[in-house]
Amino acid sequence: MATIISIETSTEVCSVALSQNGKNVWEKKNMEGQNHSTLLAPFLQEMQSYIKENNLKVDAVAVSSGPGSYTGLRIGVSTAKGLCYGMDIPLLSIDTLKVITMSALHTLNNANINDETYFCPMIDARRMEVYTAFYDKNLNQIRDTSADIIEENSYKEILDKHIVYFFGNGANKCKKTITHPNARFLDDITPLASEMCQLAEKAYNDKDFKDVAYFEPAYLKEFVAIVGKNKVLELENQK
């Protein structure tokens, strides 16, 4: 029975969880915005108190690996690596889109889900672009992860043959664009560390450990720094 710390910081939500044998036994989350740099360490300190009080031995750390927020992923992965180094335990990597899909499956609780139903998690990537993939009800990936610009006929070939549930923080802006009758939208589905527990347990049992020194999140796109208008004017004046 593995005891695993899970960390999820890929979106505006910051969360951590502790699991035993794939079941969540402790969690902490904040849904109020991207304050990961100030929230994550205190959350983990609280968790350490629980671990000590219950005489638990942690076997691994799992981190949500993206795609998602560049800054959020960097904070989560660097923290996970630090814990792995400090406790001399392995690192597990869990795909963020699969974490969101797990949350959607738990929300639906198998209601009207058949083998032909697909699931499309969406993470906001600015304007009408989303990070996304497609899964079946058994979490088998049907379509590769990609950064897609959403327009009227997006995923029409899939929607013509399958009912598809869309969810995640990128799905709301797609409701008025994806109007196919087979499209379904789920609200308030977010990636949470508590949804990583079963996935992390499987990765641990499969010994799917990552290289702590060299592992990097799946950003999909390079980080682009945005320079404010005042800064641009300042630079122009310095020429």
Side-chain angles (χ1 to χ4, degrees):
M1 180 173 70
T3 300
I4 301 174
I5 295 173
S6 292
I7 298 172
E8 215 305 312
T9 56
S10 64
T11 65
E12 65 277 7
V13 178
C14 180
S15 63
V16 298
L18 186 71
S19 62
Q20 289 186 290
N21 198 28
K23 295 182 179 180
N24 182 37
V25 296
W26 188 96
E27 69 174 308
K28 189 84 172 183
K29 60 186 175 183
N30 182 285
M31 317 282 285
E32 297 176 359
Q34 288 188 327
N35 301 310
H36 307 334
S37 60
T38 58
L39 292 173
L40 190 54
F43 284 0
L44 290 168
Q45 286 176 352
E46 289 187 47
M47 180 190 289
Q48 289 291 351
S49 297
Y50 177 88
I51 291 170
K52 290 180 180 179
E53 290 170 3
N54 291 274
N55 296 314
L56 301 177
K57 178 184 177 297
V58 178
D59 298 294
V61 178
V63 65
S64 183
S65 61
S69 159
Y70 181 93
T71 302
L73 290 171
R74 293 294 291 181
I75 292 170
V77 169
S78 61
T79 301
K81 286 184 175 185
L83 290 172
C84 289
Y85 275 123
M87 292 186 282
D88 192 23
I89 55 178
L91 175 68
L92 305 169
S93 164
I94 310 298
D95 186 290
T96 302
L97 294 172
K98 188 171 283 189
V99 176
I100 307 175
T101 304
M102 179 69 83
S103 179
L105 289 168
H106 286 159
T107 297
L108 288 168
N109 195 25
N110 292 324
N112 300 318
I113 299 175
N114 57 44
D115 291 338
E116 297 302 313
T117 300
Y118 284 175
F119 300 86
C120 182
M122 290 179 161
I123 294 177
D124 194 1
R126 302 197 192 105
R127 299 186 179 87
M128 287 306 292
E129 189 172 13
V130 295
Y131 302 131
T132 188
F134 279 77
Y135 297 88
D136 66 15
K137 70 175 186 178
N138 297 314
L139 284 180
N140 297 310
Q141 191 162 348
I142 305 301
R143 181 177 180 271
D144 289 343
T145 302
S146 60
D148 296 345
I149 296 175
I150 303 302
E151 45 86 21
E152 183 180 358
N153 292 314
S154 292
Y155 317 126
K156 184 178 185 303
E157 292 183 1
I158 296 176
L159 284 163
D160 283 344
K161 300 176 182 179
H162 302 270
I163 289 175
V164 178
Y165 283 94
F166 297 93
F167 45 88
N169 68 358
N172 279 342
K173 66 183 182 183
C174 301
K175 286 182 178 180
K176 293 183 179 179
T177 305
I178 300 177
T179 58
H180 194 286
N182 280 340
R184 309 282 190 272
F185 287 86
L186 299 175
D187 296 326
D188 302 322
I189 304 294
T190 60
L192 294 172
S194 58
E195 298 292 352
M196 295 170 60
C197 297
Q198 293 179 28
L199 300 170
E201 182 74 13
K202 182 179 186 305
Y204 183 84
N205 291 336
D206 291 343
K207 300 188 184 302
D208 187 14
F209 305 139
K210 305 304 178 185
D211 189 310
V212 177
Y214 295 104
F215 174 76
E216 291 289 335
Y219 296 119
L220 285 193
K221 295 195 300 183
E222 292 294 327
F223 175 70
V224 178
I226 299 174
V227 180
K229 183 177 179 181
N230 291 338
K231 187 65 175 178
V232 172
L233 291 174
E234 179 183 331
L235 292 172
E236 287 294 330
N237 291 333
Q238 291 175 357
K239 290 181 179 179

